[in-house]
Amino acid sequence: PCRLRCAAPALLPFADIDDERDFHQRTPRALITGAAKRLGACTARALHNLGYDIVIHHHTSVDEAHALAGELNALRAAS
C-alpha cells in the first residue's frame, strides 16, 4: 500500500485564466512522469486523494499505466 504523505503542491496559474475566480474554480491537475509504477504511482494516488486530476506519463509500463488510470477513474470519473 501507498504510505506517501504530502502537502498539496503550489498551483501554477493557467495560461487562459480570465480572472481570479476562474482560477479557483478549476480542478487542480498534476502531470506525473513515471506514474505507472512505484513512487510515481504512489504520488499519483496521493494527489488524486487530495482532489487532483492526474495525467499519467509512462514509457514502457503500458499495462500498469492503464491499470492505474482505471483504478483512479473508478474512484472519480474522468480524473
Side-chain angles (χ1 to χ4, degrees):
C2 181
R3 295 189 181 115
L4 180 68
R5 293 176 191 229
C6 60
L11 298 176
L12 299 175
F14 292 91
D16 61 344
I17 294 175
D18 293 329
D19 60 29
E20 188 173 332
R21 289 173 303 178
D22 187 37
F23 175 77
H24 292 291
Q25 292 175 354
R26 291 176 183 248
T27 301
R29 294 174 185 95
L31 166 64
I32 303 172
T33 59
K37 299 187 332 187
R38 297 180 296 272
L39 183 59
C42 188
T43 302
R45 289 182 183 100
L47 290 175
H48 188 265
N49 287 338
L50 290 172
Y52 281 69
D53 285 346
I54 305 298
V55 179
I56 298 171
H57 173 271
H58 65 86
H59 180 63
T60 58
S61 304
V62 177
D63 293 337
E64 292 90 341
H66 285 276
L68 178 61
E71 174 189 330
L72 298 181
N73 284 324
L75 295 171
R76 193 173 70 242
S79 61

